[in-house]
């Protein structure tokens, strides 16, 4: 039956991937992120609101509708690494390094 988010052939996608960062890749230099690793997906969603009800719209319809659009980041982590990330403050270090490097 297919996944409506991912199935391009049916034109039913309700989100569009705009960027992927694979920090699990063996070639990724984790010294830039203090050892922090994840898979980061930026996805764009479009929706309309009527009488307080939000309806996510199909990507193919975004140009025809007056819909709101937003890009969200989804972070995928390994369950086995989650405790390390939190207890050792790796995500905090990553944010600090990212902000320093982007200045």
């Amino acid at each position: 039956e297919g996944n409506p988010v991912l199935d391009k052939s049916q034109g039913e996608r309700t989100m569009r991937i705009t960027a992927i960062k694979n920090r699990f890749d063996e070639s990724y230099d984790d010294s830039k992120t203090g050892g922090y690793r994840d898979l980061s997906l930026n996805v764009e969603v479009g929706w309309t609101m009527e009488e307080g009800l939000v309806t996510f719209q199909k990507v193919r319809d975004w140009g025809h509708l007056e819909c709101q659009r937003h890009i969200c980041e989804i972070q995928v982590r390994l369950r086995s690494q989650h405790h390390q990330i939190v207890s050792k403050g790796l995500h905090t270090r990553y944010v600090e390094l990212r902000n320093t490097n982007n200045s």
Side-chain angles (χ1 to χ4, degrees):
E1 301 194 15
N3 182 328
V5 172
L6 302 175
D7 190 352
K8 295 179 189 179
S9 65
Q10 300 298 316
E12 299 295 322
R13 295 178 297 142
T14 57
M15 65 177 65
R16 174 172 50 201
I17 296 173
T18 61
I20 298 173
K21 291 181 186 174
N22 183 1
R23 296 184 188 97
F24 289 123
D25 190 305
E26 292 179 9
S27 65
Y28 179 74
D29 180 6
D30 68 356
S31 67
K32 298 176 186 175
T33 58
Y36 181 77
R37 290 183 176 264
D38 69 1
L39 175 68
S40 174
L41 301 169
N42 288 356
V43 296
E44 185 175 16
V45 295
W47 71 91
T48 56
M49 184 179 292
E50 188 174 323
E51 297 180 16
L53 179 65
V54 172
T55 303
F56 286 97
Q57 300 297 329
K58 298 171 186 161
V59 173
R60 68 175 178 184
D61 295 335
W62 290 356
H64 309 297
L65 299 171
E66 290 189 31
C67 63
Q68 301 290 318
R69 289 167 47 186
H70 184 77
I71 295 178
C72 311
E73 181 180 67
I74 300 171
Q75 294 178 348
V76 179
R77 301 181 193 163
L78 298 177
R79 183 183 307 244
S80 61
Q81 291 181 339
H82 179 72
H83 177 71
Q84 270 191 320
I85 290 167
V86 173
S87 67
K88 293 184 178 181
L90 290 180
H91 188 262
T92 301
R93 285 180 37 207
Y94 159 69
V95 171
E96 290 170 354
L97 284 167
R98 180 197 64 203
N99 292 344
T100 300
N101 291 333
N102 287 336
S103 302

